[in-house]
Amino acid sequence: MQAECGNLGTCRATKWVAPWLFLLCLAASLVPVGAQTLRFNRANYTVREDAGSVAVQVDISGGPAVQGTVQVVPASGVGPNGAVAGVNFNGAAVTATFPTNSVIPQTVNIPILDDNIYYPVDKTFTVSLANASPGLNIGFPNT
């Protein structure tokens, strides 16, 4: 299905092309007009295991400024190269706080745990945005 997103968050299906297009349009239309949007400033971060932490930046844009928070939630990676919460990094959510009228990105630190074991391949884990305050919306990329 081909979807067209119109003004004021309206979507209409015009013909069958790919079902996921309509879902993307619907998701985009759920962001209220004038709301601030939060997203990660990049998709990947690289850090040495002995660095102590990795700094993750959350950008904010659009709409009237409100004070609020969003959680940056780390999760274990998948597969044989997946980093494990509590073993390779601290799995606790970290809160990013945006003051009223702020357009300045906020940086949170995810602690990296050094187990003093050499790995010939990089370990990976994911972070996602969750539990945004009212008036703040989670945009893309959000993981």
Side-chain angles (χ1 to χ4, degrees):
M1 175 183 311
Q2 182 175 344
E4 295 177 7
C5 293
N7 293 336
L8 302 176
T10 60
C11 294
R12 67 184 172 97
T14 56
K15 63 180 180 177
W16 285 97
V17 175
W20 57 269
L21 286 175
F22 190 65
L23 294 175
L24 285 176
C25 181
L26 286 176
S29 70
L30 295 177
V31 177
V33 174
Q36 287 183 298
T37 302
L38 305 171
R39 66 178 189 85
F40 290 122
N41 76 324
R42 60 185 199 195
N44 300 298
Y45 292 84
T46 302
V47 63
R48 291 175 42 101
E49 187 174 3
D50 62 358
S53 66
V54 59
V56 177
Q57 184 175 309
V58 181
D59 288 345
I60 186 167
S61 63
V66 297
Q67 179 178 349
T69 61
V70 66
Q71 288 184 316
V72 178
V73 184
S76 294
V78 248
N81 297 330
V84 178
V87 175
N88 303 111
F89 64 95
N90 184 328
V94 181
T95 302
T97 302
F98 293 88
T100 303
N101 296 321
S102 176
V103 292
I104 298 171
Q106 298 297 310
T107 300
V108 297
N109 292 304
I110 307 292
I112 303 298
L113 307 176
D114 187 354
D115 58 11
N116 294 312
I117 298 174
Y118 170 76
Y119 298 98
V121 294
D122 292 336
K123 294 277 189 178
T124 61
F125 65 93
T126 62
V127 291
S128 59
L129 296 175
N131 303 319
S133 296
L136 298 178
N137 295 289
I138 297 173
F140 298 98
N142 58 12
T143 57

